[in-house]
Amino acid sequence: MSVAIVIVAVVLLGGIVVVAMGRGGELARDASDEPVAADFESWADVASYRPPAALLGYHAAATERALQLISRLIADRDAEIAWLRSRLHDDLQPESADPEGQPPPRPGRPTRDD
């Protein structure tokens, strides 16, 4: 009986030494719970995002980070849309009009006064 205990102890110590030397293999590392900006590139990414669960509810830090990234993404896109709309509005406005509201004559075309 005591011989069996000694053998088990030696095997366990040998396993501990092998693992401590780095030859026991590595544990798989999980992906980080913290989201990054690349996680939210489209509306589908935002719609399919599920915050990581914690003991009670959701992981607060990861959820807060995701909400910050989503709000920054929406704000950036809103700013871009507003800029594009202003550019479109400026391009659609006539360059100048006379007081009667008629656009200026185009060069090369005769006017009524000619």
Side-chain angles (χ1 to χ4, degrees):
M1 174 90 167
S2 64
V3 174
I5 293 176
V6 171
I7 292 174
V8 170
V10 169
V11 169
L12 285 174
L13 284 174
I16 291 171
V17 169
V18 168
V19 170
M21 292 174 56
R23 295 184 184 164
E26 294 185 24
L27 296 175
R29 294 187 180 185
D30 291 338
S32 173
D33 288 340
E34 293 289 322
V36 293
D39 291 342
F40 305 111
E41 297 209 359
S42 71
W43 67 269
D45 296 335
V46 173
S48 66
Y49 178 72
R50 299 293 177 259
L55 184 60
L56 299 172
Y58 293 110
H59 189 266
T63 304
E64 181 67 26
R65 174 78 174 139
L67 291 174
Q68 288 174 349
L69 290 170
I70 292 168
S71 65
R72 187 175 305 136
L73 173 76
I74 291 171
D76 289 347
R77 291 196 180 175
D78 284 349
E80 181 180 11
I81 289 169
W83 179 77
L84 289 170
R85 284 181 177 165
S86 70
R87 291 273 316 262
L88 181 63
H89 184 306
D90 292 345
D91 288 347
L92 293 178
Q93 291 295 323
E95 293 180 18
S96 64
D98 67 3
E100 298 174 3
Q102 298 295 325
R106 293 186 183 175
R109 290 191 166 181
T111 60
R112 289 185 213 173
D113 297 335
D114 291 340

PDB file of all heavy atoms in Angstrom, residues 56-87:
ATOM      1  N   LEU A  56     -24.062  37.725 -12.205  1.00  0.00           N
ATOM      2  CA  LEU A  56     -25.383  38.355 -12.093  1.00  0.00           C
ATOM      3  C   LEU A  56     -25.567  39.321 -13.253  1.00  0.00           C
ATOM      4  O   LEU A  56     -25.126  40.460 -13.206  1.00  0.00           O
ATOM      5  CB  LEU A  56     -25.517  39.104 -10.760  1.00  0.00           C
ATOM      6  CG  LEU A  56     -25.383  38.257  -9.502  1.00  0.00           C
ATOM      7  CD1 LEU A  56     -25.341  39.126  -8.268  1.00  0.00           C
ATOM      8  CD2 LEU A  56     -26.537  37.268  -9.418  1.00  0.00           C
ATOM      9  N   GLY A  57     -26.173  38.886 -14.328  1.00  0.00           N
ATOM     10  CA  GLY A  57     -26.429  39.764 -15.463  1.00  0.00           C
ATOM     11  C   GLY A  57     -25.309  39.732 -16.482  1.00  0.00           C
ATOM     12  O   GLY A  57     -24.827  38.675 -16.864  1.00  0.00           O
ATOM     13  N   TYR A  58     -24.900  40.935 -16.914  1.00  0.00           N
ATOM     14  CA  TYR A  58     -23.866  41.062 -17.935  1.00  0.00           C
ATOM     15  C   TYR A  58     -22.575  41.590 -17.337  1.00  0.00           C
ATOM     16  O   TYR A  58     -22.572  42.264 -16.322  1.00  0.00           O
ATOM     17  CB  TYR A  58     -24.325  42.008 -19.051  1.00  0.00           C
ATOM     18  CG  TYR A  58     -25.470  41.472 -19.852  1.00  0.00           C
ATOM     19  CD1 TYR A  58     -26.734  42.030 -19.764  1.00  0.00           C
ATOM     20  CD2 TYR A  58     -25.281  40.393 -20.694  1.00  0.00           C
ATOM     21  CE1 TYR A  58     -27.786  41.519 -20.506  1.00  0.00           C
ATOM     22  CE2 TYR A  58     -26.317  39.878 -21.432  1.00  0.00           C
ATOM     23  CZ  TYR A  58     -27.573  40.442 -21.331  1.00  0.00           C
ATOM     24  OH  TYR A  58     -28.595  39.940 -22.060  1.00  0.00           O
ATOM     25  N   HIS A  59     -21.485  41.320 -18.035  1.00  0.00           N
ATOM     26  CA  HIS A  59     -20.178  41.846 -17.639  1.00  0.00           C
ATOM     27  C   HIS A  59     -20.221  43.354 -17.852  1.00  0.00           C
ATOM     28  O   HIS A  59     -20.289  43.827 -18.993  1.00  0.00           O
ATOM     29  CB  HIS A  59     -19.092  41.175 -18.475  1.00  0.00           C
ATOM     30  CG  HIS A  59     -17.719  41.473 -18.022  1.00  0.00           C
ATOM     31  ND1 HIS A  59     -16.980  42.487 -18.556  1.00  0.00           N
ATOM     32  CD2 HIS A  59     -16.952  40.899 -17.066  1.00  0.00           C
ATOM     33  CE1 HIS A  59     -15.809  42.533 -17.974  1.00  0.00           C
ATOM     34  NE2 HIS A  59     -15.761  41.576 -17.057  1.00  0.00           N
ATOM     35  N   ALA A  60     -20.209  44.111 -16.793  1.00  0.00           N
ATOM     36  CA  ALA A  60     -20.453  45.558 -16.857  1.00  0.00           C
ATOM     37  C   ALA A  60     -19.414  46.297 -17.696  1.00  0.00           C
ATOM     38  O   ALA A  60     -19.765  47.155 -18.509  1.00  0.00           O
ATOM     39  CB  ALA A  60     -20.508  46.139 -15.454  1.00  0.00           C
ATOM     40  N   ALA A  61     -18.144  46.004 -17.524  1.00  0.00           N
ATOM     41  CA  ALA A  61     -17.095  46.729 -18.253  1.00  0.00           C
ATOM     42  C   ALA A  61     -17.191  46.473 -19.754  1.00  0.00           C
ATOM     43  O   ALA A  61     -17.058  47.401 -20.563  1.00  0.00           O
ATOM     44  CB  ALA A  61     -15.722  46.336 -17.724  1.00  0.00           C
ATOM     45  N   ALA A  62     -17.405  45.231 -20.136  1.00  0.00           N
ATOM     46  CA  ALA A  62     -17.497  44.904 -21.562  1.00  0.00           C
ATOM     47  C   ALA A  62     -18.748  45.518 -22.184  1.00  0.00           C
ATOM     48  O   ALA A  62     -18.707  46.017 -23.308  1.00  0.00           O
ATOM     49  CB  ALA A  62     -17.502  43.388 -21.758  1.00  0.00           C
ATOM     50  N   THR A  63     -19.840  45.523 -21.446  1.00  0.00           N
ATOM     51  CA  THR A  63     -21.074  46.124 -21.953  1.00  0.00           C
ATOM     52  C   THR A  63     -20.926  47.628 -22.111  1.00  0.00           C
ATOM     53  O   THR A  63     -21.345  48.200 -23.115  1.00  0.00           O
ATOM     54  CB  THR A  63     -22.249  45.794 -21.014  1.00  0.00           C
ATOM     55  OG1 THR A  63     -22.339  44.371 -20.881  1.00  0.00           O
ATOM     56  CG2 THR A  63     -23.551  46.327 -21.556  1.00  0.00           C
ATOM     57  N   GLU A  64     -20.296  48.278 -21.134  1.00  0.00           N
ATOM     58  CA  GLU A  64     -20.070  49.725 -21.214  1.00  0.00           C
ATOM     59  C   GLU A  64     -19.165  50.064 -22.397  1.00  0.00           C
ATOM     60  O   GLU A  64     -19.418  51.015 -23.135  1.00  0.00           O
ATOM     61  CB  GLU A  64     -19.445  50.225 -19.912  1.00  0.00           C
ATOM     62  CG  GLU A  64     -19.191  51.702 -19.881  1.00  0.00           C
ATOM     63  CD  GLU A  64     -20.460  52.534 -19.881  1.00  0.00           C
ATOM     64  OE1 GLU A  64     -21.502  52.039 -19.437  1.00  0.00           O
ATOM     65  OE2 GLU A  64     -20.391  53.685 -20.342  1.00  0.00           O
ATOM     66  N   ARG A  65     -18.128  49.288 -22.599  1.00  0.00           N
ATOM     67  CA  ARG A  65     -17.216  49.514 -23.727  1.00  0.00           C
ATOM     68  C   ARG A  65     -17.951  49.351 -25.059  1.00  0.00           C
ATOM     69  O   ARG A  65     -17.777  50.147 -25.977  1.00  0.00           O
ATOM     70  CB  ARG A  65     -16.041  48.536 -23.644  1.00  0.00           C
ATOM     71  CG  ARG A  65     -15.098  48.570 -24.807  1.00  0.00           C
ATOM     72  CD  ARG A  65     -14.162  49.733 -24.730  1.00  0.00           C
ATOM     73  NE  ARG A  65     -13.190  49.602 -25.809  1.00  0.00           N
ATOM     74  CZ  ARG A  65     -12.771  50.609 -26.537  1.00  0.00           C
ATOM     75  NH1 ARG A  65     -13.170  51.824 -26.270  1.00  0.00           N
ATOM     76  NH2 ARG A  65     -11.918  50.419 -27.510  1.00  0.00           N
ATOM     77  N   ALA A  66     -18.796  48.330 -25.155  1.00  0.00           N
ATOM     78  CA  ALA A  66     -19.557  48.111 -26.389  1.00  0.00           C
ATOM     79  C   ALA A  66     -20.496  49.279 -26.658  1.00  0.00           C
ATOM     80  O   ALA A  66     -20.599  49.753 -27.793  1.00  0.00           O
ATOM     81  CB  ALA A  66     -20.342  46.806 -26.302  1.00  0.00           C
ATOM     82  N   LEU A  67     -21.168  49.774 -25.636  1.00  0.00           N
ATOM     83  CA  LEU A  67     -22.078  50.905 -25.820  1.00  0.00           C
ATOM     84  C   LEU A  67     -21.323  52.163 -26.232  1.00  0.00           C
ATOM     85  O   LEU A  67     -21.806  52.956 -27.047  1.00  0.00           O
ATOM     86  CB  LEU A  67     -22.888  51.142 -24.548  1.00  0.00           C
ATOM     87  CG  LEU A  67     -23.911  50.046 -24.221  1.00  0.00           C
ATOM     88  CD1 LEU A  67     -24.543  50.300 -22.868  1.00  0.00           C
ATOM     89  CD2 LEU A  67     -24.963  49.948 -25.307  1.00  0.00           C
ATOM     90  N   GLN A  68     -20.135  52.375 -25.683  1.00  0.00           N
ATOM     91  CA  GLN A  68     -19.317  53.531 -26.089  1.00  0.00           C
ATOM     92  C   GLN A  68     -18.919  53.417 -27.557  1.00  0.00           C
ATOM     93  O   GLN A  68     -18.985  54.395 -28.305  1.00  0.00           O
ATOM     94  CB  GLN A  68     -18.065  53.634 -25.222  1.00  0.00           C
ATOM     95  CG  GLN A  68     -18.326  54.096 -23.813  1.00  0.00           C
ATOM     96  CD  GLN A  68     -17.062  54.039 -22.960  1.00  0.00           C
ATOM     97  OE1 GLN A  68     -16.048  53.477 -23.356  1.00  0.00           O
ATOM     98  NE2 GLN A  68     -17.148  54.625 -21.774  1.00  0.00           N
ATOM     99  N   LEU A  69     -18.487  52.241 -27.975  1.00  0.00           N
ATOM    100  CA  LEU A  69     -18.084  52.046 -29.368  1.00  0.00           C
ATOM    101  C   LEU A  69     -19.263  52.233 -30.317  1.00  0.00           C
ATOM    102  O   LEU A  69     -19.132  52.860 -31.369  1.00  0.00           O
ATOM    103  CB  LEU A  69     -17.476  50.657 -29.558  1.00  0.00           C
ATOM    104  CG  LEU A  69     -16.116  50.432 -28.907  1.00  0.00           C
ATOM    105  CD1 LEU A  69     -15.740  48.967 -28.968  1.00  0.00           C
ATOM    106  CD2 LEU A  69     -15.055  51.284 -29.580  1.00  0.00           C
ATOM    107  N   ILE A  70     -20.426  51.705 -29.950  1.00  0.00           N
ATOM    108  CA  ILE A  70     -21.610  51.840 -30.796  1.00  0.00           C
ATOM    109  C   ILE A  70     -22.031  53.295 -30.891  1.00  0.00           C
ATOM    110  O   ILE A  70     -22.353  53.794 -31.979  1.00  0.00           O
ATOM    111  CB  ILE A  70     -22.751  50.952 -30.265  1.00  0.00           C
ATOM    112  CG1 ILE A  70     -22.386  49.477 -30.460  1.00  0.00           C
ATOM    113  CG2 ILE A  70     -24.063  51.278 -30.949  1.00  0.00           C
ATOM    114  CD1 ILE A  70     -23.294  48.515 -29.728  1.00  0.00           C
ATOM    115  N   SER A  71     -22.022  54.027 -29.771  1.00  0.00           N
ATOM    116  CA  SER A  71     -22.422  55.438 -29.813  1.00  0.00           C
ATOM    117  C   SER A  71     -21.438  56.264 -30.633  1.00  0.00           C
ATOM    118  O   SER A  71     -21.838  57.171 -31.372  1.00  0.00           O
ATOM    119  CB  SER A  71     -22.560  55.999 -28.403  1.00  0.00           C
ATOM    120  OG  SER A  71     -21.309  56.021 -27.746  1.00  0.00           O
ATOM    121  N   ARG A  72     -20.146  55.960 -30.552  1.00  0.00           N
ATOM    122  CA  ARG A  72     -19.149  56.678 -31.358  1.00  0.00           C
ATOM    123  C   ARG A  72     -19.351  56.377 -32.841  1.00  0.00           C
ATOM    124  O   ARG A  72     -19.269  57.272 -33.682  1.00  0.00           O
ATOM    125  CB  ARG A  72     -17.742  56.294 -30.925  1.00  0.00           C
ATOM    126  CG  ARG A  72     -16.669  57.122 -31.616  1.00  0.00           C
ATOM    127  CD  ARG A  72     -15.276  56.832 -31.114  1.00  0.00           C
ATOM    128  NE  ARG A  72     -15.201  57.000 -29.685  1.00  0.00           N
ATOM    129  CZ  ARG A  72     -14.572  56.151 -28.872  1.00  0.00           C
ATOM    130  NH1 ARG A  72     -13.973  55.087 -29.358  1.00  0.00           N
ATOM    131  NH2 ARG A  72     -14.531  56.372 -27.574  1.00  0.00           N
ATOM    132  N   LEU A  73     -19.658  55.124 -33.166  1.00  0.00           N
ATOM    133  CA  LEU A  73     -19.917  54.733 -34.552  1.00  0.00           C
ATOM    134  C   LEU A  73     -21.129  55.479 -35.103  1.00  0.00           C
ATOM    135  O   LEU A  73     -21.086  56.027 -36.210  1.00  0.00           O
ATOM    136  CB  LEU A  73     -20.143  53.228 -34.627  1.00  0.00           C
ATOM    137  CG  LEU A  73     -20.582  52.664 -35.961  1.00  0.00           C
ATOM    138  CD1 LEU A  73     -19.387  52.603 -36.900  1.00  0.00           C
ATOM    139  CD2 LEU A  73     -21.180  51.289 -35.784  1.00  0.00           C
ATOM    140  N   ILE A  74     -22.200  55.546 -34.323  1.00  0.00           N
ATOM    141  CA  ILE A  74     -23.410  56.242 -34.776  1.00  0.00           C
ATOM    142  C   ILE A  74     -23.148  57.739 -34.922  1.00  0.00           C
ATOM    143  O   ILE A  74     -23.587  58.359 -35.895  1.00  0.00           O
ATOM    144  CB  ILE A  74     -24.575  55.958 -33.807  1.00  0.00           C
ATOM    145  CG1 ILE A  74     -24.994  54.490 -33.935  1.00  0.00           C
ATOM    146  CG2 ILE A  74     -25.759  56.878 -34.087  1.00  0.00           C
ATOM    147  CD1 ILE A  74     -25.984  54.049 -32.881  1.00  0.00           C
ATOM    148  N   ALA A  75     -22.428  58.334 -33.971  1.00  0.00           N
ATOM    149  CA  ALA A  75     -22.125  59.764 -34.061  1.00  0.00           C
ATOM    150  C   ALA A  75     -21.273  60.079 -35.284  1.00  0.00           C
ATOM    151  O   ALA A  75     -21.513  61.072 -35.984  1.00  0.00           O
ATOM    152  CB  ALA A  75     -21.418  60.222 -32.788  1.00  0.00           C
ATOM    153  N   ASP A  76     -20.285  59.235 -35.569  1.00  0.00           N
ATOM    154  CA  ASP A  76     -19.438  59.451 -36.749  1.00  0.00           C
ATOM    155  C   ASP A  76     -20.256  59.344 -38.037  1.00  0.00           C
ATOM    156  O   ASP A  76     -20.096  60.153 -38.956  1.00  0.00           O
ATOM    157  CB  ASP A  76     -18.294  58.434 -36.794  1.00  0.00           C
ATOM    158  CG  ASP A  76     -17.238  58.687 -35.731  1.00  0.00           C
ATOM    159  OD1 ASP A  76     -17.255  59.779 -35.130  1.00  0.00           O
ATOM    160  OD2 ASP A  76     -16.408  57.773 -35.504  1.00  0.00           O
ATOM    161  N   ARG A  77     -21.139  58.378 -38.099  1.00  0.00           N
ATOM    162  CA  ARG A  77     -21.958  58.223 -39.308  1.00  0.00           C
ATOM    163  C   ARG A  77     -22.973  59.345 -39.435  1.00  0.00           C
ATOM    164  O   ARG A  77     -23.240  59.813 -40.543  1.00  0.00           O
ATOM    165  CB  ARG A  77     -22.640  56.859 -39.313  1.00  0.00           C
ATOM    166  CG  ARG A  77     -21.614  55.761 -39.516  1.00  0.00           C
ATOM    167  CD  ARG A  77     -22.208  54.472 -39.895  1.00  0.00           C
ATOM    168  NE  ARG A  77     -21.119  53.508 -40.071  1.00  0.00           N
ATOM    169  CZ  ARG A  77     -21.305  52.249 -40.324  1.00  0.00           C
ATOM    170  NH1 ARG A  77     -22.523  51.775 -40.441  1.00  0.00           N
ATOM    171  NH2 ARG A  77     -20.285  51.445 -40.469  1.00  0.00           N
ATOM    172  N   ASP A  78     -23.536  59.802 -38.320  1.00  0.00           N
ATOM    173  CA  ASP A  78     -24.458  60.944 -38.373  1.00  0.00           C
ATOM    174  C   ASP A  78     -23.742  62.195 -38.868  1.00  0.00           C
ATOM    175  O   ASP A  78     -24.292  62.955 -39.664  1.00  0.00           O
ATOM    176  CB  ASP A  78     -25.075  61.215 -36.994  1.00  0.00           C
ATOM    177  CG  ASP A  78     -26.169  60.220 -36.646  1.00  0.00           C
ATOM    178  OD1 ASP A  78     -26.591  59.458 -37.536  1.00  0.00           O
ATOM    179  OD2 ASP A  78     -26.592  60.215 -35.475  1.00  0.00           O
ATOM    180  N   ALA A  79     -22.510  62.410 -38.403  1.00  0.00           N
ATOM    181  CA  ALA A  79     -21.741  63.570 -38.854  1.00  0.00           C
ATOM    182  C   ALA A  79     -21.440  63.465 -40.349  1.00  0.00           C
ATOM    183  O   ALA A  79     -21.524  64.451 -41.082  1.00  0.00           O
ATOM    184  CB  ALA A  79     -20.446  63.675 -38.056  1.00  0.00           C
ATOM    185  N   GLU A  80     -21.101  62.275 -40.810  1.00  0.00           N
ATOM    186  CA  GLU A  80     -20.822  62.091 -42.231  1.00  0.00           C
ATOM    187  C   GLU A  80     -22.078  62.322 -43.071  1.00  0.00           C
ATOM    188  O   GLU A  80     -22.029  62.966 -44.121  1.00  0.00           O
ATOM    189  CB  GLU A  80     -20.275  60.684 -42.479  1.00  0.00           C
ATOM    190  CG  GLU A  80     -19.928  60.426 -43.930  1.00  0.00           C
ATOM    191  CD  GLU A  80     -19.388  59.024 -44.180  1.00  0.00           C
ATOM    192  OE1 GLU A  80     -19.462  58.174 -43.280  1.00  0.00           O
ATOM    193  OE2 GLU A  80     -18.906  58.795 -45.293  1.00  0.00           O
ATOM    194  N   ILE A  81     -23.211  61.828 -42.611  1.00  0.00           N
ATOM    195  CA  ILE A  81     -24.469  62.037 -43.340  1.00  0.00           C
ATOM    196  C   ILE A  81     -24.820  63.515 -43.395  1.00  0.00           C
ATOM    197  O   ILE A  81     -25.230  64.030 -44.442  1.00  0.00           O
ATOM    198  CB  ILE A  81     -25.601  61.210 -42.695  1.00  0.00           C
ATOM    199  CG1 ILE A  81     -25.368  59.719 -42.970  1.00  0.00           C
ATOM    200  CG2 ILE A  81     -26.971  61.637 -43.215  1.00  0.00           C
ATOM    201  CD1 ILE A  81     -26.273  58.802 -42.167  1.00  0.00           C
ATOM    202  N   ALA A  82     -24.657  64.223 -42.284  1.00  0.00           N
ATOM    203  CA  ALA A  82     -24.944  65.662 -42.265  1.00  0.00           C
ATOM    204  C   ALA A  82     -24.027  66.409 -43.222  1.00  0.00           C
ATOM    205  O   ALA A  82     -24.466  67.317 -43.948  1.00  0.00           O
ATOM    206  CB  ALA A  82     -24.797  66.208 -40.847  1.00  0.00           C
ATOM    207  N   TRP A  83     -22.754  66.044 -43.253  1.00  0.00           N
ATOM    208  CA  TRP A  83     -21.798  66.689 -44.158  1.00  0.00           C
ATOM    209  C   TRP A  83     -22.182  66.420 -45.612  1.00  0.00           C
ATOM    210  O   TRP A  83     -22.172  67.330 -46.447  1.00  0.00           O
ATOM    211  CB  TRP A  83     -20.392  66.190 -43.859  1.00  0.00           C
ATOM    212  CG  TRP A  83     -19.360  66.780 -44.747  1.00  0.00           C
ATOM    213  CD1 TRP A  83     -18.822  68.034 -44.675  1.00  0.00           C
ATOM    214  CD2 TRP A  83     -18.725  66.144 -45.869  1.00  0.00           C
ATOM    215  NE1 TRP A  83     -17.899  68.208 -45.671  1.00  0.00           N
ATOM    216  CE2 TRP A  83     -17.818  67.069 -46.421  1.00  0.00           C
ATOM    217  CE3 TRP A  83     -18.837  64.896 -46.440  1.00  0.00           C
ATOM    218  CZ2 TRP A  83     -17.032  66.769 -47.517  1.00  0.00           C
ATOM    219  CZ3 TRP A  83     -18.046  64.592 -47.533  1.00  0.00           C
ATOM    220  CH2 TRP A  83     -17.152  65.525 -48.064  1.00  0.00           C
ATOM    221  N   LEU A  84     -22.526  65.170 -45.923  1.00  0.00           N
ATOM    222  CA  LEU A  84     -22.916  64.835 -47.296  1.00  0.00           C
ATOM    223  C   LEU A  84     -24.197  65.560 -47.707  1.00  0.00           C
ATOM    224  O   LEU A  84     -24.317  66.027 -48.841  1.00  0.00           O
ATOM    225  CB  LEU A  84     -23.094  63.322 -47.435  1.00  0.00           C
ATOM    226  CG  LEU A  84     -21.809  62.495 -47.391  1.00  0.00           C
ATOM    227  CD1 LEU A  84     -22.135  61.016 -47.303  1.00  0.00           C
ATOM    228  CD2 LEU A  84     -20.935  62.793 -48.590  1.00  0.00           C
ATOM    229  N   ARG A  85     -25.143  65.678 -46.789  1.00  0.00           N
ATOM    230  CA  ARG A  85     -26.376  66.404 -47.100  1.00  0.00           C
ATOM    231  C   ARG A  85     -26.098  67.875 -47.354  1.00  0.00           C
ATOM    232  O   ARG A  85     -26.696  68.480 -48.246  1.00  0.00           O
ATOM    233  CB  ARG A  85     -27.378  66.250 -45.959  1.00  0.00           C
ATOM    234  CG  ARG A  85     -28.032  64.895 -45.953  1.00  0.00           C
ATOM    235  CD  ARG A  85     -29.036  64.776 -44.850  1.00  0.00           C
ATOM    236  NE  ARG A  85     -29.696  63.483 -44.909  1.00  0.00           N
ATOM    237  CZ  ARG A  85     -30.413  62.975 -43.928  1.00  0.00           C
ATOM    238  NH1 ARG A  85     -30.570  63.655 -42.799  1.00  0.00           N
ATOM    239  NH2 ARG A  85     -30.975  61.798 -44.058  1.00  0.00           N
ATOM    240  N   SER A  86     -25.201  68.476 -46.573  1.00  0.00           N
ATOM    241  CA  SER A  86     -24.882  69.892 -46.804  1.00  0.00           C
ATOM    242  C   SER A  86     -24.177  70.076 -48.142  1.00  0.00           C
ATOM    243  O   SER A  86     -24.430  71.049 -48.850  1.00  0.00           O
ATOM    244  CB  SER A  86     -24.037  70.447 -45.662  1.00  0.00           C
ATOM    245  OG  SER A  86     -22.741  69.904 -45.686  1.00  0.00           O
ATOM    246  N   ARG A  87     -23.312  69.140 -48.486  1.00  0.00           N
ATOM    247  CA  ARG A  87     -22.650  69.208 -49.796  1.00  0.00           C
ATOM    248  C   ARG A  87     -23.664  69.080 -50.919  1.00  0.00           C
ATOM    249  O   ARG A  87     -23.604  69.797 -51.919  1.00  0.00           O
ATOM    250  CB  ARG A  87     -21.611  68.095 -49.945  1.00  0.00           C
ATOM    251  CG  ARG A  87     -20.385  68.189 -49.094  1.00  0.00           C
ATOM    252  CD  ARG A  87     -19.288  69.025 -49.721  1.00  0.00           C
ATOM    253  NE  ARG A  87     -19.059  68.771 -51.121  1.00  0.00           N
ATOM    254  CZ  ARG A  87     -18.128  67.990 -51.637  1.00  0.00           C
ATOM    255  NH1 ARG A  87     -17.313  67.342 -50.854  1.00  0.00           N
ATOM    256  NH2 ARG A  87     -18.003  67.858 -52.944  1.00  0.00           N
TER     257      ARG A  87
END
